[in-house]
Amino acid sequence: MKTLTADSPKITAAEVERLIRSLTAVEKTNIGIEVTVPVAYGDGELVTVVVEQTTDALVVHDASFSAMRLSNSGISFTPNVVHRLAELAARYGCKFHSGRVGSSAESIEALPHVVALVANAARSVADYAFEVKRMAETDFRLVVVEKLREIVGSRARDPDEFKGASGRRYRLPFVLNKELSRPEHFISTLANRSNVPQVFAAYSDLRGSWPGVERDAVYDDAAHLRDEDRTFLKTADTAIVFGWMEAERRFKEFVRDVRH
């Protein structure tokens, strides 16, 4: 890989075109003509679609690759989910039917445009996994904050921004001290284990700029955190890590053990 420097020659339009074209690959397989295009899923893998010729059209579909990605993420295809996926595909003039994202080209000339539309629709459908993840995180945070308010009352506050030692800002729910003058506990929520590195980074950064503020990490018991995840989080200085089933007991400690 060539590293660009101040002395590097200016890249030309022809070189850019060549490099982009190098991402495209076409191969005849047992399911049709597979076309890999310069459109990427969230993990960086390029999207592949299939072209099949019928008597009156060229059918383009994703061979259920996007649906398989969703299944691997643990998403069930309930009627509501299928409706949502159909909406995402429709943004690109495509359909989501029987687990496939697809459309058709009525002429050879229209084929490249349809391939591009199906590839983008397939990527959009696969990205539904990120939408579900965001919803799960938001829902779990709301549940935790609601329980926090129920136990500690007005000392529980909605997420606000706090600056770490690095200068980065982190948005967290928190609990004030008895005098309501300063934060006493930061509360991070983990709806799934993929959040572990972000919480570790935030708490490691905040410990230098907010000394004396305890850092609590509440995880969903269905998030499948491993022992090493919990140990990793606890190394972020004084982070206290516990599951949702333990949350009520821990929050009651905030009321009994008030620091001044």
Side-chain angles (χ1 to χ4, degrees):
M1 180 181 294
K2 294 181 179 179
T3 302
L4 291 175
T5 67
D7 298 325
S8 298
K10 296 292 184 182
I11 193 168
T12 66
E15 287 176 300
V16 172
E17 181 179 9
R18 177 183 60 80
L19 291 168
I20 300 301
R21 283 179 182 272
S22 70
L23 296 176
T24 302
V26 182
E27 179 183 8
K28 174 66 175 175
T29 70
N30 61 342
I31 62 173
I33 299 173
E34 292 192 23
V35 185
T36 301
V37 295
V39 175
Y41 292 114
D43 60 2
E45 182 180 343
L46 296 181
V47 176
T48 295
V49 299
V50 177
V51 178
E52 294 185 69
Q53 187 166 6
T54 64
T55 55
D56 57 354
L58 293 166
V59 178
V60 184
H61 60 84
D62 74 337
S64 298
F65 294 146
S66 297
M68 285 188 282
R69 282 175 162 264
L70 294 177
S71 293
N72 291 338
S73 297
I75 293 172
S76 300
F77 292 89
T78 64
N80 286 338
V81 168
V82 171
H83 179 71
R84 176 58 178 157
L85 299 180
E87 287 181 334
L88 294 171
R91 293 177 181 177
Y92 297 90
C94 299
K95 294 181 178 181
F96 181 78
H97 181 68
S98 298
R100 281 185 174 183
V101 177
S103 186
S104 61
E106 296 182 358
S107 67
I108 294 176
E109 290 75 18
L111 181 62
H113 189 63
V114 173
V115 165
L117 289 173
V118 173
N120 278 280
R123 187 258 318 146
S124 183
V125 165
D127 281 354
Y128 178 69
F130 298 111
E131 185 176 320
V132 170
K133 178 183 173 183
R134 286 193 297 271
M135 289 189 294
E137 290 169 357
T138 300
D139 289 348
F140 184 59
R141 175 177 285 188
L142 290 173
V143 168
V144 170
V145 172
E146 184 178 346
K147 175 59 70 174
L148 196 59
R149 280 205 190 94
E150 177 187 320
I151 295 173
V152 305
S154 62
R155 290 171 56 208
R157 297 302 169 93
D158 288 333
D160 203 350
E161 286 192 343
F162 297 91
K163 185 186 290 187
S166 69
R168 291 185 64 181
R169 294 181 180 273
Y170 305 92
R171 193 168 184 81
L172 299 165
F174 62 102
V175 176
L176 290 169
N177 60 5
K178 186 178 180 180
E179 293 76 25
L180 307 181
S181 60
R182 68 184 304 274
E184 187 169 87
H185 300 270
F186 290 137
I187 311 293
S188 282
T189 57
L190 297 99
N192 54 71
R193 65 186 303 265
S194 65
N195 299 128
V196 169
Q198 295 96 308
V199 173
F200 176 85
Y203 278 178
S204 296
D205 199 13
L206 288 168
R207 68 186 177 189
S209 54
W210 293 90
V213 179
E214 287 192 349
R215 288 164 286 282
D216 288 86
V218 190
Y219 61 86
D220 188 338
D221 293 293
H224 306 298
L225 255 68
R226 300 171 182 171
D227 289 341
E228 57 263 38
D229 295 324
R230 288 184 280 270
T231 300
F232 179 60
L233 285 169
K234 289 174 183 176
T235 61
D237 196 24
T238 57
I240 298 170
V241 185
F242 52 95
W244 170 243
M245 297 296 288
E246 303 173 69
E248 183 169 347
R249 177 191 59 77
R250 171 61 180 158
F251 294 162
K252 286 180 178 178
E253 292 176 2
F254 296 175
V255 180
R256 291 196 300 266
D257 185 24
V258 177
R259 290 172 287 167
H260 299 278

